[in-house]
Amino acid sequence: MNVVYVASEVFPFFKTGGLADVMYSLPRKMSRIGHDVSVIMPKYSQISQIYTRKMEHVISVEYSGRVFNIYKIVEGYVIYYFVENKELFERSQVYGCDDEDIQFSVFCEIVLKFLRKIQLKADIIHCNDWQTGLLPFFLKKRYILSDEFFANMKTVFTIHNLMYQGKFSKTSLHRLGYDVEGDGLNFMRIGMEYADIVTTVSKTYAEEIKYPYFSEGLEDMTTSKKIYGVLNGIDVIYFNPERNSSIYVNYNIYTRKDKAKNKMFLQQEMKLPETAETPVISMITRLVEGKGMDLIRYNIEELLKDPVQIIILGSGDKQYEEFFWNLEKKYPSKFKIKLGYDPVLANKIYAGSDMFLMPSRYEPCGLSQMIAMKFGTIPIVRETGGLKDTVTSYNKYTGEGNGFTFANFNADDMLYTLRRAERYYFNDKGVWDKLIERNMNLDFSWIRSAREYEKLYWIAKGDKVLKADLSEK
Ligand code: ADP
């Protein structure tokens, strides 16, 4: 198949979250299993010169009085295309401009016009998140109707985060001159409505978003339309403690005792007391409400009464940054906050911690817990979305499970669960080591996910047998 991925961010060119990682890995794996793959994103001024220097001009597309230059970079068998327009995409910030409706609707139009111009007959256009939501609509309601070239193109729309929907007022409808009905525009809703297949990034999240607590006002869509759940993978070559070059000491499942050395160096770098017996609990996260920051704020001082060290790497809302900042002043030998985005330090923390905490209110998939697990760091998570699909609580009777979990979004339940983990950490080294081994052995490779998407692409193309097969699951 010929598959075209369309997204607002793609690692390593531009990344703010998990979407960019998915757009790095999934296309590469799809090409590995034999498909023709391209990826299209806007050419932001934030893209490093390392990449812009490599870009080759492909073609220009004109639309609404503007000229769009399309550039490409070929990496392996994947072709990355970048849509350039200085006025629309070269800004001091990528997201949150007040004409985002224009930026991204035009981006979607350009993608289709570009495919036409270079005669790239995609079997599947795989759109991601609200920024690409109008594309399935344009394709189905305009391009297919007026141009034979598009006749067999199908769209897949993946929801990575339902919270950000791209909602715009009625004036936006007029401003864009679109014939969509309603009080305003919701790009996410339109994507879900017009795509041939809608997916989200874990099976649990696909179920959860049918309920108002998670649906962010879209339950009419989430209950009426079949939504498939495909868990993301992680880059298991990069996130491999045996090879990763940014951690202090490499280790694998057999030499996992060397994880302790990483902990010592991490404590050193963080200026924490170098005590091997003290559990290091870490978080690497955006500091936003949805990641459970209020639970942390509510109970972290209680947790700090325990013999633990806590390290948080993240950036986000000022209220949390300030809170952690003050907390570090109060507990300098037990708590460290590192503000900012730092992938090298992130790896060191994954490798050097004992426990990785993710008390998310909602979590479509979550990559961090999978990365932590590959580094043998025990996940402590709330049972939601992809966290529920990847972490099962240790059961002392059956010996099953790979972490510690709690069901309710409640700070005391989180604290209780952390203390449950602490008890095993301090009193049952055998169980703890078993959990480390079990986590390091888990398979989070992208191949598994790519195979699932491949099936969905065939279903989008009309494969009824696969459709019936997947519906039964
Ligand atoms: P989300 O996409 O909701 O932010 P995920 O867990 O799916 O959450 O993905 C987050 C990714 O970003 C992980 O790879 C994590 O390691 C990385 N990350 C988050 N915050 C930071 C940070 N401050 N520094 C470095 N990496 C970070």
Side-chain angles (χ1 to χ4, degrees):
M1 269 181 283
N2 197 316
V3 187
V4 173
Y5 293 89
V6 186
S8 60
E9 53 182 84
V10 179
F11 182 81
F13 310 110
F14 180 74
K15 165 173 165 170
T16 66
L19 166 62
D21 295 321
V22 175
M23 284 300 106
Y24 169 77
S25 302
L26 179 60
R28 287 157 60 107
K29 277 293 175 279
M30 274 299 173
S31 83
R32 194 79 50 81
I33 61 181
H35 303 292
D36 287 330
V37 174
S38 358
V39 184
I40 310 183
M41 70 175 285
K43 183 170 173 286
Y44 307 116
S45 43
Q46 284 77 2
I47 298 176
S48 153
Q49 278 194 3
I50 304 172
Y51 305 111
T52 52
R53 271 200 222 110
K54 283 196 213 163
M55 290 181 189
E56 283 169 50
H57 185 250
V58 183
I59 215 166
S60 301
V61 178
E62 278 176 45
Y63 173 66
S64 71
R66 298 180 175 102
V67 176
F68 297 81
N69 283 305
I70 316 291
Y71 290 84
K72 75 169 177 186
I73 292 180
V74 182
E75 290 270 354
Y77 292 103
V78 181
I79 308 179
Y80 298 89
Y81 292 107
F82 302 86
V83 175
E84 182 198 65
N85 181 278
K86 289 201 166 44
E87 178 203 342
L88 288 180
F89 303 124
E90 302 190 16
R91 308 262 179 98
S92 57
Q93 64 192 75
V94 165
Y95 296 133
C97 297
D98 59 11
D99 60 347
E100 278 191 306
D101 52 344
I102 296 199
Q103 289 180 292
F104 291 105
S105 67
V106 170
F107 172 60
C108 292
E109 293 262 14
I110 297 302
V111 168
L112 292 170
K113 290 181 187 302
F114 167 64
L115 296 182
R116 178 80 177 87
K117 200 155 185 182
I118 62 163
Q119 291 290 306
L120 201 167
K121 263 196 187 165
D123 290 295
I124 298 290
I125 305 179
H126 189 153
C127 301
N128 296 276
D129 273 352
W130 75 262
Q131 290 86 355
T132 59
L134 290 187
L135 196 150
F137 167 74
F138 291 151
L139 181 67
K140 219 168 229 174
K141 286 287 167 190
R142 295 197 192 149
Y143 288 68
I144 285 184
L145 301 180
S146 61
D147 189 343
E148 181 64 19
F149 173 80
F150 294 98
N152 294 319
M153 289 193 192
K154 300 290 178 192
T155 49
V156 173
F157 182 73
T158 295
I159 302 163
H160 297 262
N161 193 337
L162 200 59
M163 181 100 146
Y164 307 104
Q165 295 177 9
K167 288 191 217 172
F168 302 99
S169 67
K170 197 159 187 164
T171 48
S172 168
L173 275 173
H174 299 304
R175 180 154 79 164
L176 297 168
Y178 291 145
D179 42 3
V180 188
E181 287 184 7
D183 297 333
L185 268 180
N186 181 322
F187 280 32
M188 179 76 91
R189 176 186 289 277
I190 293 171
M192 293 172 73
E193 192 169 340
Y194 289 94
D196 297 293
I197 294 266
V198 180
T199 79
T200 187
V201 287
S202 67
K203 291 196 170 37
T204 296
Y205 192 62
E207 286 304 311
E208 284 173 341
I209 57 177
K210 292 179 180 164
Y211 299 93
Y213 183 80
F214 295 95
S215 69
E216 307 286 346
L218 288 182
E219 62 266 22
D220 58 321
M221 286 304 305
T222 51
T223 49
S224 62
K225 190 128 187 176
K226 166 84 186 158
I227 300 179
Y228 295 88
V230 181
L231 196 70
N232 291 330
I234 55 172
D235 182 341
V236 287
I237 299 193
Y238 180 72
F239 293 116
N240 176 355
E242 190 170 12
R243 304 261 189 84
N244 190 290
S245 57
S246 41
I247 67 175
Y248 307 96
V249 178
N250 288 112
Y251 57 98
N252 61 28
I253 200 155
Y254 305 106
T255 60
R256 59 186 182 275
K257 289 220 160 10
D258 285 347
K259 189 169 163 57
K261 294 181 190 158
N262 283 284
K263 173 164 157 181
M264 193 192 70
F265 284 118
L266 179 65
Q267 289 170 324
Q268 220 172 60
E269 184 169 338
M270 294 287 126
K271 301 192 171 60
L272 287 166
E274 289 165 46
T275 44
E277 61 281 6
T278 308
V280 171
I281 305 170
S282 64
M283 298 183 74
I284 299 171
T285 180
R286 291 182 289 118
L287 304 175
V288 296
E289 184 275 333
K291 295 290 184 185
M293 285 304 138
D294 294 334
L295 302 194
I296 307 284
R297 184 161 59 182
Y298 186 81
N299 252 343
I300 195 167
E301 289 202 69
E302 188 60 32
L303 178 63
L304 283 165
K305 289 181 182 159
D306 298 353
V308 298
Q309 295 174 351
I310 304 176
I311 299 172
I312 300 181
L313 167 62
S315 64
D317 293 355
K318 285 282 159 295
Q319 51 158 335
Y320 302 120
E321 294 195 356
E322 271 165 32
F323 171 77
F324 290 131
W325 200 233
N326 290 323
L327 197 70
E328 184 179 297
K329 280 192 214 136
K330 199 165 163 190
Y331 301 91
S333 64
K334 299 193 85 172
F335 177 77
K336 295 290 167 188
I337 175 77
K338 290 284 161 190
L339 295 176
Y341 191 83
D342 187 341
V344 171
L345 180 61
N347 290 334
K348 291 175 175 174
I349 295 174
Y350 283 124
S353 308
D354 297 293
M355 304 178 199
F356 193 80
L357 177 61
M358 276 178 94
S360 307
R361 186 165 66 76
Y362 67 99
E363 193 65 73
C365 173
L367 300 172
S368 313
Q369 84 280 13
M370 294 191 244
I371 302 171
M373 291 186 241
K374 286 311 286 179
F375 281 89
T377 302
I378 308 306
I380 296 165
V381 307
R382 187 170 102 80
E383 291 159 26
T384 185
L387 296 172
K388 191 171 175 182
D389 293 355
T390 51
V391 185
T392 46
S393 219
Y394 176 68
N395 180 326
K396 67 177 173 187
Y397 301 107
T398 63
E400 288 167 330
N402 64 328
F404 298 90
T405 71
F406 57 102
N408 295 322
F409 188 66
N410 176 299
D412 290 327
D413 289 1
M414 176 188 77
L415 184 65
Y416 173 84
T417 307
L418 278 156
R419 289 188 164 152
R420 184 167 172 245
E422 279 179 43
R423 277 202 301 282
Y424 283 100
Y425 177 88
F426 286 117
N427 305 327
D428 202 333
K429 292 283 180 228
V431 165
W432 198 261
D433 187 56
K434 186 85 215 146
L435 292 179
I436 294 177
E437 184 187 19
R438 199 169 278 168
N439 278 298
M440 291 183 75
N441 254 329
L442 290 172
D443 175 15
F444 296 122
S445 72
W446 266 104
I447 283 287
R448 185 186 39 80
S449 321
R451 291 281 180 210
E452 283 187 54
Y453 278 115
E454 190 182 36
K455 279 189 200 150
L456 294 176
Y457 296 165
W458 285 121
I459 291 174
K461 298 294 285 177
D463 192 316
K464 298 208 168 51
V465 179
L466 274 176
K467 186 171 183 178
D469 186 36
L470 276 189
S471 301
E472 277 168 20
K473 285 184 189 165

